[in-house]
Amino acid sequence: MEILPEIKNRMTSRSFQNIPIPDETLERILNAGRLAPSAKNRQPWRFIVLTDPEIKEQLKQSAYGDERFSEAPVVIAVCTTNIGYRMPNGELSYPMDLSFAVSFMMIQAEHEKLNSAVITTYQEDEVKNLLTIPYSMKVVMMLLIGKAVENSDKEIRLPMNRVVSFDHW
Ligand SMILES: Cc1cc2nc3c(=O)[nH]c(=O)nc-3n(C[C@H](O)[C@H](O)[C@H](O)COP(=O)(O)O)c2cc1C
């Protein structure tokens, strides 16, 4: 049984080509996020899609000049709509819920022969001001999507025997 190529080949893009993404493709990627699971099915997310070069340029300033914000044709600000809910195990649900949604969007993007990058290095207060995000909400991640310029430096992973155990820790 093969690992899905979308999982095996995905890499964080270090640089993007500024080639627009067709509307239908973007819609499928967003729909993949919408279909992700969330605790109690609360779906505490809002995906703000940013394609305007001027806004992306301003985001770049808030992201310490990361060029990928102006290069990538689509930037998605992955925001919360509800940050208070804790799951029965005591953990906050929103970081996990949003991570599932982002994972689904990344996998769909790969399936569409596109690449992606999750970025968390930005000044959130500036981004919130720019995108008129309510004070009580959070911008948890930015998901950049586009065609990578080149993507050859595969990051290595810990071996299976370091991350998996059976029957005990
Ligand atoms: C929660 C999270 C936050 C991340 N934040 C950043 C970031 O701010 N800037 C960046 O360049 N990459 C960021 N990354 C990408 C990781 O550095 C990358 O996924 C990791 O090094 C493994 O490489 P790969 O995605 O190419 O397999 C983030 C990834 C995750 C999952």
Side-chain angles (χ1 to χ4, degrees):
M1 192 75 147
E2 286 284 313
I3 297 285
L4 290 178
E6 289 85 350
I7 291 175
K8 200 172 166 189
N9 301 331
R10 186 212 54 80
M11 285 185 246
T12 295
S13 300
R14 310 282 177 226
S15 183
F16 289 95
Q17 303 175 48
N18 198 339
I19 301 170
I21 297 177
D23 288 348
E24 320 80 69
T25 307
L26 179 57
E27 193 177 328
R28 285 194 294 272
I29 292 168
L30 293 164
N31 207 8
R34 187 183 69 88
L35 294 171
S38 60
K40 281 244 170 120
N41 198 25
R42 294 167 74 94
Q43 306 160 68
W45 45 55
R46 178 174 289 259
F47 313 128
I48 307 181
V49 180
L50 306 150
T51 55
D52 183 318
E54 267 179 40
I55 293 181
K56 289 195 291 133
E57 187 61 35
Q58 283 175 274
L59 287 174
K60 179 172 115 180
Q61 304 311 322
S62 300
Y64 308 96
D66 190 329
E67 293 292 339
R68 290 175 289 183
F69 280 83
S70 46
E71 295 167 355
V74 170
V75 173
I76 302 172
V78 181
C79 307
T80 53
T81 56
N82 180 318
I83 56 172
Y85 180 65
R86 283 183 188 273
M87 302 175 290
N89 66 2
E91 301 288 343
L92 279 169
S93 77
Y94 78 83
M96 298 178 206
D97 297 332
L98 271 56
S99 299
F100 276 109
V102 167
S103 302
F104 277 38
M105 288 193 276
M106 291 170 93
I107 302 292
Q108 184 68 32
E110 289 288 325
H111 189 67
E112 307 283 353
K113 308 289 179 224
L114 293 168
N115 309 101
S116 64
V118 170
I119 309 281
T120 50
T121 310
Y122 52 83
Q123 297 183 65
E124 193 200 5
D125 51 346
E126 287 187 16
V127 174
K128 284 174 71 168
N129 274 339
L130 178 67
L131 306 179
T132 64
I133 295 168
Y135 179 76
S136 56
M137 307 298 166
K138 284 180 182 288
V139 187
V140 176
M141 281 170 268
M142 299 275 196
L143 177 61
L144 280 55
I145 301 174
K147 194 87 191 149
V149 170
E150 64 169 48
N151 233 357
S152 56
D153 301 332
K154 188 102 180 113
E155 299 254 18
I156 56 164
R157 293 294 192 264
L158 296 170
M160 282 287 275
N161 63 8
R162 284 278 304 279
V163 298
V164 180
S165 62
F166 293 89
D167 298 332
H168 61 81
W169 172 269

